[in-house]
Amino acid sequence: MSALVKPKSATFAMSDVEITLQYVKNFGVCNLKLPEGKLTFLDVLNVLFLVDMSGSMSDAGANGKTKMEEVKDTLKKTVRCLIVHGDANPHLTQNITIIGFDDKTEIILSKRTLKTIEEGGIKNFEEFIEKKLYPRGTTDIGRALDAATSAAGPISDNPREVTLTLCLTDGDITSGISEPSLLKTKINGGKNIFIGYGSGHNATLLKDLSETSKENKYKFISGNEKAGMVIGEVLCETLLERLSNCVLESSYGTIYDYKTNTWNDKLELDNLAAGQNSTWYVKMGRGGSGTFILADASTSVVLTLTCTI
């Protein structure tokens, strides 16, 4: 067995990647682990918080806190997490925008650099959030998505600049457009994470909205204690991404696709961040040998795995 590692580019060096490929008869398990690291290859991160301010956000969860209290705690933790990433990456510019919505939309905080927020004092920022965010009207998600798209503006095609929209909501539409097909047309072209609070949120709707792009995702927070873990995962995937738009393929073997429960000669992979693991199940071709190539979207080889038994 041999493993040849090549860099994706000068920026995405893969020299420390850990690769294992184990076979029993013609069935194999391939595991790839990317090295830990706090360095981000991004130059600009635009974070847009889209915060549900509808009356249902006053409902209390199992821990006694209202959904709005949980959302505000999530927002505070996210900003503090971004500060930590900023300290480790002085080249990185991070911009923050906060939009509140019910049946109306309100710019709570217009686009502001994280450095400006830090200079004003993180406690002052958190007190400002406490005063400005509170439950009030009905829920118009279509209007909210329009506001987020307008605030995001043109999405840069520079891979070193990412626009991340975090939609924090209980996911119930009580006014405005409710057809998912129409709502999907309003989502901006950046990376959108739809985060549902509490067991009563509309998971079906948020999942549906997240399926408009491979970059978009749905997350569920059952309680406040889970918020930090969920947001930390999102930020890690965004800031510390090492492999994206990759395909694992083979001319002789096959790879298992759990999404379709089929074996194919090609598999599109989820993006991978520093420290993450990815495991694939593969089969040898005839003759007991298989070569599996991991390539990016432009087909430049990242690594080749060859095994013969």
Side-chain angles (χ1 to χ4, degrees):
M1 178 178 69
S2 65
L4 173 64
V5 179
K6 296 184 179 181
K8 181 177 182 181
S9 69
T11 322
F12 293 79
M14 296 289 293
S15 57
D16 295 328
V17 70
E18 295 179 18
I19 309 157
T20 59
L21 181 61
Q22 297 178 322
Y23 268 91
V24 177
K25 296 185 178 179
N26 72 329
F27 178 80
V29 179
C30 179
N31 184 72
L32 181 146
K33 177 176 173 54
L34 296 181
E36 301 283 350
K38 295 182 179 180
L39 178 65
T40 179
F41 297 125
L42 296 183
D43 291 328
V44 180
L45 176 63
N46 303 305
V47 182
L48 195 156
F49 295 97
L50 195 57
V51 181
D52 191 339
M53 296 176 65
S54 63
S56 59
M57 295 298 286
S58 63
D59 295 342
N63 60 1
K65 285 192 173 184
T66 67
K67 295 174 186 176
M68 179 56 77
E69 288 174 325
E70 292 182 354
V71 164
K72 288 190 285 191
D73 283 348
T74 302
L75 198 156
K76 294 172 188 177
K77 289 175 181 177
T78 304
V79 170
R80 287 183 177 273
C81 187
L82 289 171
I83 289 173
V84 172
H85 279 290
D87 290 341
N89 295 274
H91 71 283
L92 175 65
T93 297
Q94 300 183 90
N95 299 309
I96 308 295
T97 302
I98 303 175
I99 298 176
F101 72 93
D102 49 4
D103 52 314
K104 301 179 292 293
T105 59
E106 178 182 350
I107 303 296
I108 304 297
L109 183 73
S110 58
K111 190 174 181 178
R112 199 82 55 87
T113 65
L114 189 59
K115 289 294 183 184
T116 301
I117 294 174
E118 282 188 88
E119 289 169 359
I122 189 62
K123 288 187 177 181
N124 290 336
F125 168 77
E126 292 178 345
E127 290 173 0
F128 173 78
I129 292 304
E130 285 292 338
K131 293 177 182 178
K132 286 290 188 177
L133 294 175
Y134 52 88
R136 50 190 197 192
T138 55
T139 307
D140 188 337
I141 289 183
R143 189 184 294 271
L145 294 175
D146 282 339
T149 297
S150 177
I155 303 298
S156 173
D157 57 3
N158 181 356
R160 290 181 174 272
E161 178 174 352
V162 170
T163 296
L164 173 66
T165 300
L166 298 172
C167 182
L168 312 174
T169 179
D170 63 0
D172 283 322
I173 297 176
T174 52
S175 64
I177 296 172
S178 59
E179 295 83 358
S181 60
L182 294 178
L183 292 172
K184 289 179 181 181
T185 66
K186 297 176 176 291
I187 299 173
N188 70 57
K191 185 173 184 177
N192 297 267
I193 311 298
F194 297 91
I195 302 175
Y197 282 80
S199 58
H201 77 274
N202 192 335
T204 301
L205 172 66
L206 298 187
K207 286 179 181 178
D208 209 7
L209 295 180
S210 72
E211 291 171 355
T212 52
S213 166
K214 185 180 178 181
E215 295 296 314
N216 298 341
K217 292 186 178 179
Y218 157 71
K219 300 287 185 179
F220 166 48
I221 293 180
S222 58
N224 186 51
E225 72 281 0
K226 305 292 184 182
M229 180 176 64
V230 170
I231 293 297
E233 179 184 277
V234 170
L235 295 180
C236 176
E237 291 174 353
T238 303
L239 286 164
L240 305 182
E241 188 176 274
R242 295 293 185 265
L243 288 176
S244 60
N245 300 318
C246 284
V247 175
L248 184 68
E249 57 185 326
S250 176
S251 299
Y252 304 99
T254 54
I255 310 110
Y256 178 68
D257 185 344
Y258 74 91
K259 295 178 181 178
T260 60
N261 191 30
T262 57
W263 292 86
N264 306 294
D265 59 3
K266 184 181 295 185
L267 177 66
E268 292 185 4
L269 307 178
D270 293 332
N271 295 351
L272 285 176
Q276 285 189 320
N277 287 285
S278 189
T279 300
W280 314 299
Y281 298 96
V282 295
K283 286 182 180 179
M284 295 285 200
R286 292 182 179 179
S289 65
T291 298
F292 300 90
I293 299 174
L294 181 63
D296 66 13
S298 61
T299 69
S300 59
V301 174
V302 176
L303 60 91
T304 302
L305 302 174
T306 303
C307 185
T308 301
I309 56 174

